Amino acid sequence: MNQPIRRVSAFCLVLVLALLIRVNWVQGVEAGSLNTNTHNARIAIEAYSHPRGQIFVGGQAVTKSVLVNGNRYKYVQSFPQGPLYAPVTGYSSAIFGNSLLEGVEDPVLSGTDSRLTVNNFEALITGKQKQGGDVITTLNPQVQAAAYNAFVSQGKTGAAVAIDPQTGAILALVSAPSYDPGVFAGGGTTSSPAYTKLLNDPSDPMLNRALRQTYPPGSTFKLITAAAALETGVVTDINAPTDTPDPLPLPDSTKTLPNEDNDPCLNASMNDALAVSCNTVFAKFGDQVGNARMVQEADKFGFNNPTLNIPVRADASVFAGGIDRPSNMFSSIGQFDTRATPLEMAMVAAAICNNGSLMQPYLVAEERAADLGVISHTQPKQLSQATTPAVAAEIQSMMVNVVQKGTGTTAQIPGITVGGKTGTAQNGVNNSGNPYAWFVSYAKGPNGKDIAVAVVIEASNTQRTEISGSGLAAPIAKQMMKTYLGK
């Protein structure tokens, strides 16, 4: 072999070796980064090449993989009752990714979860089509529909959450207005305009108000202040006068805190003050308890928890520490910087109903393989002991009084024990916006069947002077409780 041929052969050998090294480098070292690269369309194409698992509510699938045999995607995810369950399912899109349960449960739904390896191997051996697993939610479809229909029919903006106090299972999770995830799930030419239109909608339908929006809880926070006052001995008799002036002078200030006109709050007992929602009495309790102890109490009920997952992430509700006395007093009546999600306030009601034991809220009851084999089952577990059984019992009696004789009479259900607390929270700079209307409640049904509910109305067609938790939020909570308890 002459010298030029040897040189060309050696050069070709080097090129072949370089190619082999590069191929192995890409497949072995860069595979992970390439798989997660947002510009790698192969991942989405493969994910939608087989049926995706379904999300179930009450035994019925509320999502469905539809065979379309498109140029890029063989299947697309559809949402037959999209707006009703969008705050739970989220969306699944080849272009825009996944959110909420479609996102956190994606390994199961897409069939890539390691627990589905055996099923996938069997499908490979038998030649069957690969298929994702299913997610079984805790939702009660009747309660979910009762809340959602009430918001839609009355044109209200807000959210509602219902929880089984004994287990933490979430029975309803509604955000209004809502949207249909199916309008941009297909990946066709209409997907991007539909998605953009939703993002730019001034009513913000894609905002999950139940989990990802915090509001000043207003007077509903007085339930936590009551627990702190009873636990610390600031109050030993819920029916004893409290020696509270009306209006209440604020410490280190020339200003005073008033009550609503004509409310009988002068020296009112804790029981009477909760029934008519006296700001002065509970602001004084917050001051007597002190900010550090109020923070501890709020934390036990679930506030200031940035890692709460159900398994979808929920924004942290906030009760501020390290603040001065007047700020702590306003915080103790649910104003100043106090903020809460509807989920959090449902947790407060659930803990009180459950004798002070706050259960971890959860949305997924089971995960199942395509052959219906259960790969996980959620066991209820305690999140915290929010308050003592004795204190919880006293707050229960006061909440029942609110519904029987106080501001929450619109939530009464004949033959059912209902406890509740109304709230009207300031909104905007100097309260320039329409106030938020709250109702936080629980109902004890026959055979130990209980439900805890929180409803917040962010906006409605109601005149500002007519906005109240009793008038706007309580009727929705009542309908949810009645539906669950079969009344």
Side-chain angles (χ1 to χ4, degrees), residues 282-325:
F282 284 90
K284 180 183 176 183
F285 291 159
D287 188 46
Q288 292 174 311
V289 170
N291 178 245
R293 183 62 181 81
M294 283 297 302
V295 171
Q296 292 179 16
E297 195 68 30
D299 287 355
K300 291 192 297 179
F301 276 94
F303 278 75
N304 303 316
N305 182 355
T307 61
L308 181 63
N309 296 298
I310 62 170
V312 175
R313 175 185 60 82
D315 279 10
S317 298
V318 178
F319 184 88
I323 54 180
D324 59 30
R325 288 177 63 191

Side-chain angles (χ1 to χ4, degrees), residues 69-73:
N69 272 327
N71 292 331
R72 293 168 66 87
Y73 311 113

Side-chain angles (χ1 to χ4, degrees), residues 250-294:
L250 297 173
D252 307 320
S253 173
T254 59
K255 297 182 179 180
T256 59
L257 174 65
N259 292 294
E260 294 295 326
D261 294 340
N262 302 319
D263 281 350
C265 295
L266 180 65
N267 300 326
S269 67
M270 175 183 276
N271 195 8
D272 291 339
L274 195 72
V276 297
S277 205
C278 297
N279 288 332
T280 51
V281 175
F282 284 90
K284 180 183 176 183
F285 291 159
D287 188 46
Q288 292 174 311
V289 170
N291 178 245
R293 183 62 181 81
M294 283 297 302

